[in-house]
Amino acid sequence: MTDRISKEHRSWNMSRIRGKDTKLEVLLRSLLHRRGFRFRLHAPGLPGKPDIVLPKYRTVIFVHGCFWHRHEGCSNATMPKTRTEFWTEKFHRTVERDARKKTELEALGWQILTVWECELFADPQDVIKTIENQVVNSI
């Protein structure tokens, strides 16, 4: 099947997909800050450069998009209809990398929390309460 848009336009579209400071991250950071949490962003010294690091609680938070990180059972984790072999491999590598980084962080003594796009958009207050409970109970 032929792509509906030109190669140049597809490249332009893909270049607009952000890796840092996404709407999800900014929303979660705002909620955390309002609740009194202080954090670091994208700590380069930690495996996977976690999106949010709460050093006081030795906790890292990854903010995952359901499509890119394959949120199991989520309607947002769809498979593109074209180039399925490419996408299957790409998603497989992403999930493997996520698992590897999580294992490395746990070995270093960090608690890992994952916030999914669909959960954050559906009920941000529930997500922040869950984070508070997990972080405060880990002390």
Side-chain angles (χ1 to χ4, degrees):
M1 182 173 179
T2 310
D3 202 350
R4 297 181 322 207
I5 60 176
S6 70
K7 189 173 184 176
E8 293 78 20
H9 195 264
R10 172 73 63 212
S11 178
W12 182 85
N13 285 349
M14 295 303 283
S15 74
R16 297 306 181 264
I17 298 172
R18 301 172 69 124
K20 291 182 180 178
D21 301 326
T22 63
K23 288 179 186 178
L24 293 170
E25 286 182 34
V26 172
L27 171 61
L28 183 59
R29 291 186 327 222
S30 175
L31 293 169
L32 286 168
H33 197 270
R34 279 189 239 153
R35 296 288 179 113
F37 288 99
R38 297 302 175 252
F39 47 83
R40 299 283 176 252
L41 302 177
H42 312 289
L46 293 176
K49 295 182 186 175
D51 299 314
I52 298 171
V53 180
L54 301 168
K56 178 179 178 180
Y57 303 99
R58 204 135 169 89
T59 300
V60 299
I61 302 173
F62 287 101
V63 183
H64 284 337
C66 298
F67 176 78
W68 293 107
H69 294 271
R70 311 315 294 163
H71 187 196
E72 196 170 319
C74 179
S75 62
N76 294 332
T78 59
M79 176 62 74
K81 293 187 181 2
T82 58
R83 301 182 64 209
T84 54
E85 286 181 31
F86 165 81
W87 286 107
T88 300
E89 179 59 29
K90 183 170 186 62
F91 294 145
H92 178 70
R93 285 191 317 265
T94 300
V95 171
E96 272 186 349
R97 183 183 63 240
D98 291 345
R100 188 174 60 250
K101 297 306 177 189
K102 181 179 177 181
T103 303
E104 291 172 17
L105 284 163
E106 286 172 340
L108 293 172
W110 289 88
Q111 175 182 342
I112 295 96
L113 303 177
T114 301
V115 174
W116 291 99
E117 168 187 25
C118 62
E119 295 169 349
L120 188 56
F121 278 144
D123 193 352
Q125 294 306 316
D126 185 51
V127 169
I128 200 70
K129 285 178 190 172
T130 301
I131 290 172
E132 278 182 318
N133 289 337
Q134 290 180 340
V135 167
V136 172
N137 290 336
S138 70
I139 298 177

